[in-house]
Amino acid sequence: MEKSLSHPIAEGRTAEVYEWDNGSVLKLYHDWCPPHWVEHEAMVAHAITTAGIPSPAAGEIVEVNHRRGLTYQRVSGVSMLQDMNARPWTILKHARILAELQVKIHQLSIAGLQSYKDGLMYTIRRAPHLEDYLRERVLDHLVSLADGELVCHGDFHPGNVLLTDQGAVISDWMTASAGNAWADVARTSMLLSIGAKSAGKQMRPLIRLFIRLYHQTYLNRYTSLIPDANNDLAKWTPVIAAARLDERIKGEEEALIGMVRAGLVG
């Protein structure tokens, strides 16, 4: 389909979001993205909605200007991240909500999802900046970790939670997989801390304090609902940090490698 599109209303690394027909939006993948990503996201999005997780309802797969995309029900609201930026006094409440939503996700198992552990193996093998001996140590460590079959969002952070009049809604299920819930918690924990770690002294102390408070409140709430009896969060952290290197985000490399080394001590 050839169609003139307006300016995107949102943009990310893999896709842009546009206004679409009948009150819906179109998530249009960039042309470098493999075609099967769209099918995977559509399958996951339909399964998540059916399971009762608050999420925008997915529509149909379309091709526009030689790019593939997926239509979604339009959801009116702001992201949790936007709300905290505008109203910083809400950070503790939002941190608890983030944890509670993730616990709900981790009660589910959906047939047909790819293995989180297999995906991590693949990304760590190709991640740049890892010395060979460190890569082998991380991969050996990953093999030793318990697998699982629970739904893992794979990129769960306050930018992917929309606050609406009907409550919080979770978006962007492209990276969803089946695995150990603590791997998913480790990913969220890493995302909540890596910005402050990589920014170093450039970040204002008050902002760094807010990030730490949000991060710790999130962890406290999650572990109050699902205790980390076997120290699984710490076990998964170096694996998640190593896999993050494959996203090739400039400025994070040193902090991520530090997290890998620290997690493998002993």
Side-chain angles (χ1 to χ4, degrees), residues 153-218:
H153 184 282
D155 197 31
F156 191 68
H157 58 76
N160 280 335
V161 176
L162 299 175
L163 305 177
T164 76
D165 291 341
Q166 289 73 45
V169 172
I170 305 165
S171 66
D172 200 359
W173 291 92
M174 185 188 75
T175 52
S177 57
N180 188 310
W182 288 105
D184 206 32
V185 176
R187 167 77 182 185
T188 299
S189 179
M190 182 270 297
L191 291 173
L192 294 179
S193 64
I194 191 61
K197 287 180 185 294
S198 58
K201 294 180 180 179
Q202 300 171 8
M203 183 175 289
R204 287 186 293 172
L206 186 58
I207 295 175
R208 190 181 293 111
L209 174 62
F210 279 178
I211 293 172
R212 284 204 198 104
L213 280 172
Y214 183 88
H215 184 196
Q216 193 58 55
T217 303
Y218 153 78

Side-chain angles (χ1 to χ4, degrees), residues 69-174:
L70 180 63
T71 63
Y72 278 100
Q73 163 198 14
R74 172 145 199 173
V75 176
S76 297
V78 298
S79 75
M80 182 180 285
L81 182 61
Q82 290 172 319
D83 194 52
M84 290 190 297
N85 285 337
R87 304 188 304 153
W89 58 89
T90 65
I91 62 169
L92 300 186
K93 177 185 77 172
H94 285 331
R96 289 189 287 268
I97 292 172
L98 191 79
E100 290 159 7
L101 287 170
Q102 196 171 30
V103 166
K104 288 182 180 179
I105 295 171
H106 294 161
Q107 306 304 308
L108 299 175
S109 108
I110 295 173
L113 292 182
Q114 63 187 14
S115 162
Y116 200 175
K117 198 168 182 178
D118 287 351
L120 290 167
M121 285 273 188
Y122 174 77
T123 53
I124 291 169
R125 286 194 181 106
R126 46 175 273 157
H129 309 296
L130 271 179
E131 296 176 69
D132 288 342
Y133 86 94
L134 197 55
R135 190 188 314 276
E136 291 307 313
R137 285 194 64 191
V138 175
L139 289 171
D140 288 345
H141 178 65
L142 175 56
V143 169
S144 74
L145 297 176
D147 208 345
E149 298 180 349
L150 299 176
V151 174
C152 297
H153 184 282
D155 197 31
F156 191 68
H157 58 76
N160 280 335
V161 176
L162 299 175
L163 305 177
T164 76
D165 291 341
Q166 289 73 45
V169 172
I170 305 165
S171 66
D172 200 359
W173 291 92
M174 185 188 75

